């Protein structure tokens, strides 16, 4: 029974995020006069529908997101229902900069949702966690950290993976943990010990149960700082900006082929959702915010079939002064589809490997 409940949570959370995304497209399209035939919550067979103005608001049987049907969005679709719609009221009939805004509005709504959730969580908690400096509070016996020669009180000021030519000057313990996941292998650590710089070398060990590379260092506990409601706004904004920055950094690493083994697909997201929903409402809301930011940012990647791909094509057509041929668009869309399928296969494979 718990598996069914977890699956339901997974579907509802992702579905809600997609609906918010599509609602962003709807608002922007209507703002610029684009004819929107239908806005649907869910997919598949129609359960309920109410016509309001020119748009039909629908609920469909499968709670896996939703969609907005904009005139001119799919040029290969049957155009019989759009014969009476003026060209200037189609997506292709509005100015390019307006098309870009319509396509980017979904991502904007996802980021806006995350921002509001982060502010709400911070305001409800009434305090924020002040991250400690990366100072060693304890060293696990027989761990890579002990073998490397770490001492309690060492302040980690630099990490370097020479084989990958990557370095980090950490401001927090979280940054150190992320560096270990992306650049496993021997790392050279520079620490401050009694006012002097000491160089240590160690290799984090992979713990299959936690799916993490762990060095074996304990850090000081974060300090709590009480804040007012209004102060929660900049702190919530900081959390949102930090999430966006982290995602952008991760995408940049993936493009360079770094961290491909950390990529997660539907199975991994399902597992995280199942674990997080057990931790209560605030944890679930935080997960929704993080997933919403991910959906928004990933959709802006310039890969055809994603919003970013559509924006990229609009910009190309604007630069060359004419529309790409249907054949060229089909080739681009197919390439994008194959790329997405390849990424999903790799991510799912990673999830399966972690399970076993």
């Amino acid at each position: 029974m718990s598996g069914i409940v977890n699956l339901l949570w997974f579907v509802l959370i992702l579905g809600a995020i997609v609906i918010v995304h599509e609602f962003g497209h709807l608002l922007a399209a209507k703002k610029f006069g684009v004819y929107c035939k239908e806005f649907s919550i869910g997919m598949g067979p129609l359960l309920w529908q109410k016509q309001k103005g020119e748009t039909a608001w629908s609920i469909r049987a499968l709670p896996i997101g939703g969609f907005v049907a904009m005139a001119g969005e799919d040029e290969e679709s049957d155009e019989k229902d759009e014969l009476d719609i003026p060209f200037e009221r189609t997506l292709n009939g509005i100015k390019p900069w307006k098309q870009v805004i319509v396509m980017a509005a979904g991502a904007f709504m996802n980021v806006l949702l995350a921002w509001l959730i982060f502010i709400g969580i911070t305001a409800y908690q009434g305090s924020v966690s002040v991250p400690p400096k990366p100072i060693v509070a304890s060293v696990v016996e027989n761990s890579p950290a002990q073998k490397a020669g770490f001492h309690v009180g060492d302040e980690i000021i630099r990490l370097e993976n020479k084989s990958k030519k990557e370095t980090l000057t950490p401001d927090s313990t979280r940054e150190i943990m992320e560096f270990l996941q992306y650049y496993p292998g021997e790392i050279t650590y520079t620490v401050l010990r009694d006012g002097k710089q000491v160089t240590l070398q160690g290799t984090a060990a992979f713990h299959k149960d936690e799916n993490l590379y762990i060095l074996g260092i304990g850090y000081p506990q974060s300090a709590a700082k009480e804040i007012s409601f209004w102060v929660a706004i900049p702190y919530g904004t900081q959390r949102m900006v930090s999430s966006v920055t982290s995602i952008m950094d991760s995408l940049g690493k993936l493009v360079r082929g770094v961290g491909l083994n950390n990529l997660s697909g539907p199975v991994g997201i399902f597992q995280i959702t199942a674990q997080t929903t057990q931790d209560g409402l605030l944890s679930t809301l935080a997960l929704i915010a993080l997933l919403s930011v991910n959906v928004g940012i990933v959709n802006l990647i310039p890969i055809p079939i994603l919003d970013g791909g559509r924006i990229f094509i609009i910009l190309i057509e604007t630069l060359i002064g004419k529309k790409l041929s249907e054949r060229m668009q089909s080739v681009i869309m197919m390439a994008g589809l194959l790329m997405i399928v390849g990424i999903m296969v790799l991510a799912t494979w990673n999830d399966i490997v972690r399970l076993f």
Side-chain angles (χ1 to χ4, degrees), residues 135-138 151-155 192-194:
I135 297 176
V136 177
S138 62
H151 293 178
V152 172
D154 287 349
E155 181 179 352
L192 277 179
R193 180 183 298 168
D194 299 326

Side-chain angles (χ1 to χ4, degrees), residues 43-56:
M43 307 288 282
L46 182 66
L47 297 179
W48 176 87
Q49 189 172 79
K50 182 177 179 60
Q51 190 75 30
K52 188 175 181 181
E54 63 186 21
T55 304

Side-chain angles (χ1 to χ4, degrees), residues 130-173:
V130 180
K133 289 185 177 181
I135 297 176
V136 177
S138 62
V139 179
V140 178
E141 189 175 352
N142 296 322
S143 67
Q146 187 184 57
K147 295 175 183 177
F150 279 92
H151 293 178
V152 172
D154 287 349
E155 181 179 352
I156 303 174
I157 60 174
R158 192 170 186 271
L159 296 83
E160 180 181 7
N161 185 311
K162 292 184 178 179
S163 63
K164 299 292 185 180
K165 298 181 180 179
E166 293 289 340
T167 61
L168 170 69
T169 302
D171 292 321
S172 67
T173 57

Side-chain angles (χ1 to χ4, degrees), residues 44-348:
L46 182 66
L47 297 179
W48 176 87
Q49 189 172 79
K50 182 177 179 60
Q51 190 75 30
K52 188 175 181 181
E54 63 186 21
T55 304
W57 297 78
S58 310
I59 296 178
R60 295 181 178 269
L62 303 177
I64 49 176
F67 64 87
V68 54
M70 297 180 286
E73 183 179 17
D74 187 356
E75 296 181 357
E76 297 181 358
S77 64
D78 188 358
E79 298 179 355
K80 291 181 180 179
D81 294 335
E82 299 181 7
L83 292 177
D84 297 330
I85 301 173
F87 178 70
E88 60 269 17
R89 293 214 58 204
T90 67
L91 188 60
N92 292 316
I94 61 177
K95 293 182 178 180
W97 67 269
K98 293 182 178 180
Q99 294 180 44
V100 170
I101 291 177
V102 171
M103 300 314 301
F108 173 79
M109 285 296 288
N110 284 133
V111 174
L112 178 61
L113 172 64
W115 181 56
L116 294 175
I117 291 176
F118 282 137
I119 291 175
I121 291 175
T122 306
Y124 177 81
Q125 291 175 326
S127 64
V128 293
S129 176
V130 180
K133 289 185 177 181
I135 297 176
V136 177
S138 62
V139 179
V140 178
E141 189 175 352
N142 296 322
S143 67
Q146 187 184 57
K147 295 175 183 177
F150 279 92
H151 293 178
V152 172
D154 287 349
E155 181 179 352
I156 303 174
I157 60 174
R158 192 170 186 271
L159 296 83
E160 180 181 7
N161 185 311
K162 292 184 178 179
S163 63
K164 299 292 185 180
K165 298 181 180 179
E166 293 289 340
T167 61
L168 170 69
T169 302
D171 292 321
S172 67
T173 57
R174 179 183 61 83
E175 291 179 333
I176 295 175
M177 287 296 296
E178 288 183 355
F179 191 87
L180 294 180
Q181 309 318 306
Y182 282 110
Y183 305 106
E186 187 176 75
I187 294 176
T188 300
Y189 299 86
T190 303
V191 303
L192 277 179
R193 180 183 298 168
D194 299 326
K196 298 180 181 179
Q197 291 191 9
V198 178
T199 300
L200 307 172
Q201 289 184 326
T203 302
F206 183 74
H207 288 229
K208 188 174 181 180
D209 293 342
E210 300 179 56
N211 191 36
L212 290 172
Y213 287 92
I214 296 177
L215 188 61
I217 287 176
Y219 298 104
Q221 293 293 321
S222 299
K225 175 183 176 182
E226 293 188 2
I227 59 171
S228 65
F229 173 79
W230 296 111
V231 178
I233 296 176
Y235 275 105
T237 303
Q238 186 180 25
R239 289 182 66 179
M240 189 271 292
V241 171
S242 177
S243 298
V244 172
T245 304
S246 179
I247 294 168
M248 296 292 287
D249 182 57
S250 298
L251 289 174
K253 287 184 172 70
L254 290 176
V255 170
R256 304 198 308 270
V258 177
L260 291 175
N261 59 317
N262 296 325
L263 197 64
S264 286
V267 177
I269 297 173
F270 170 75
Q271 287 183 309
I272 293 172
T273 303
Q275 294 169 4
T276 305
T277 52
Q278 304 294 323
D279 296 332
L281 179 61
L282 289 184
S283 295
T284 302
L285 288 174
L287 175 65
I288 292 174
L290 288 172
L291 290 177
S292 187
V293 171
N294 272 274
V295 169
I297 299 300
V298 169
N299 258 284
L300 291 179
I301 297 175
I303 296 177
I305 81 171
L306 296 180
D307 294 338
R310 297 290 295 270
I311 292 173
F312 181 72
I313 290 175
I314 293 169
L315 295 177
I316 291 296
E317 290 177 340
T318 302
L319 287 174
I320 65 177
K322 63 178 182 180
K323 292 191 68 64
L324 297 176
S325 66
E326 289 188 12
R327 184 172 181 275
M328 177 61 70
Q329 290 194 44
S330 296
V331 170
I332 293 174
M333 290 296 175
M334 182 57 67
L337 178 61
L338 292 175
M339 192 177 299
I340 293 294
V341 170
I343 292 172
M344 290 302 297
V345 169
L346 175 61
T348 304

